[in-house]
Amino acid sequence: MVMMVMIFLDIRAQENKMKKYEFSILACHGENRTSAIERKKAEDEKRRHAQSRAVAYQALRFVGAFYLTWLFPTVNRVLQASICHSYFWLMVMHTICSPMQGFCNFLVYIYPRNRDRIIQIATSFTNYFAWNSTKPDVDDPKTTAENT
């Protein structure tokens, strides 16, 4: 987590250093309207920090994947150390989640390039399951009798 913050701060500092090399259209055309200049400054500020914001979100996704992966193994080991007993479902989740660190990191790694496709797939799955849960069961005589 500390390394992620250090990387973010380094990229933000680099973006701030690059500010003096930016080209401003308003300065070239001599436009002196205050509202246009303020709007342009706000847009430039947002655009300038876009890369550091993307790095921060990517770092948070990596940290989230780490915590998600190690939640069940940690709880399982704490229970084993404290009460000398472990639950079967917790051991199953430990066994499933522990080797998934690499897969979760892979998903986080490909997310920025495939964000739109991943969101489209997640939305289609959500819509499919939501539609199927509201659709009446054809084999159930109760629901067919109520609908007729």
Side-chain angles (χ1 to χ4, degrees), residues 136-147:
D137 191 11
V138 180
D139 298 332
D140 190 11
K142 232 184 203 184
T143 52
T144 53
E146 291 173 359
N147 291 337

